[in-house]
Amino acid sequence: MATMRNFWSSVMLTSGRYKGAPVPAHLRIKAIQPPMFDRWLRLFGETCDELFEDEVAEAFRVKAARIAESLKLALFFRPELIAPGKSS
């Protein structure tokens, strides 16, 4: 939980408290699949709604959606695996 607090402090407050590398950390989770991000975003959004006023909750949700998209691209988009002349 300390890592998550540091991460979100860095993201939302630009505190610089987080010094990790999210992509390699998530690459170690072998069972992670793209649909899991939608569920996580839904749960995260519900938690934001419970903890924060609307404007702050929305700011967290927007950041979380951007982070999720970046992570999905880093974890699952592999253009080198697409044969030449083929599109995905």
Side-chain angles (χ1 to χ4, degrees), residues 11-49:
V11 168
M12 298 305 289
L13 303 174
T14 62
S15 68
R17 289 174 40 188
Y18 179 73
K19 304 295 185 207
V23 173
H26 286 80
L27 281 170
R28 290 191 293 270
I29 305 169
K30 299 301 180 201
I32 198 167
Q33 296 295 316
M36 293 174 173
F37 285 84
D38 292 333
R39 184 169 194 271
W40 176 80
L41 284 170
R42 188 173 58 256
L43 293 171
F44 187 83
E46 290 171 9
T47 302
C48 289
D49 289 339

Side-chain angles (χ1 to χ4, degrees), residues 53-87:
E53 296 197 17
D54 293 345
E55 188 175 313
V56 174
E58 181 62 15
F60 270 91
R61 283 193 298 271
V62 167
K63 287 279 192 177
R66 289 181 185 154
I67 291 166
E69 191 60 30
S70 293
L71 271 175
K72 282 195 293 187
L73 287 171
L75 297 173
F76 304 111
F77 180 66
R78 299 286 190 252
E80 70 274 10
L81 299 179
I82 299 172
K86 302 269 183 178
S87 62

